[in-house]
Amino acid sequence: MEFINNILHNCEETSLNIVKSEETSLSVSAWLKMKFHIAFCKCCRNFGKQTKAMDKALQHHFHENISQQETIAPRELKERIKENLQKM
């Protein structure tokens, strides 16, 4: 039984590794355990698909659709921030 526990992750560990794999690379053993678990667990497989879809949607929304004008703060806002900082 210990051998199987070393090979398989539970759903909690797998979902954590799915999220981690979106941001950074996993160790080979963690990646293999995650892939092996996903092969047999429909819930984790769906979670992985949903995570990828949300990541794509967020990247599209925040990175590709921002125009130069949206990233520049209005002069009035800058002045209010300076005034509030000076009051501190």
Side-chain angles (χ1 to χ4, degrees):
M1 190 66 158
E2 187 176 326
F3 174 73
I4 292 175
N5 288 336
N6 286 335
I7 293 176
L8 291 176
H9 274 157
N10 60 29
C11 291
E12 184 177 354
E13 292 169 319
T14 301
S15 61
L16 178 63
N17 281 335
I18 289 170
V19 173
K20 280 184 180 179
S21 69
E22 293 289 327
E23 300 299 322
T24 185
S25 59
L26 298 174
S27 67
V28 174
S29 64
W31 184 82
L32 285 172
K33 287 179 183 180
M34 179 186 73
K35 290 296 185 179
F36 191 72
H37 181 94
I38 289 172
F40 293 101
C41 181
K42 186 176 182 178
C43 293
C44 289
R45 198 167 37 251
N46 287 338
F47 178 76
K49 289 176 185 177
Q50 292 168 351
T51 302
K52 285 182 183 182
M54 287 189 322
D55 192 46
K56 268 183 147 177
L58 288 171
Q59 282 181 355
H60 178 73
H61 178 74
F62 287 111
H63 297 293
E64 295 176 3
N65 289 336
I66 296 178
S67 69
Q68 182 66 21
Q69 292 177 346
E70 292 174 333
T71 60
I72 298 173
R75 188 174 51 87
E76 297 85 23
L77 177 60
K78 290 179 183 179
E79 293 299 322
R80 280 190 301 176
I81 291 171
K82 284 180 186 178
E83 289 173 8
N84 287 332
L85 287 173
Q86 288 172 353
K87 290 177 185 177
M88 296 177 124

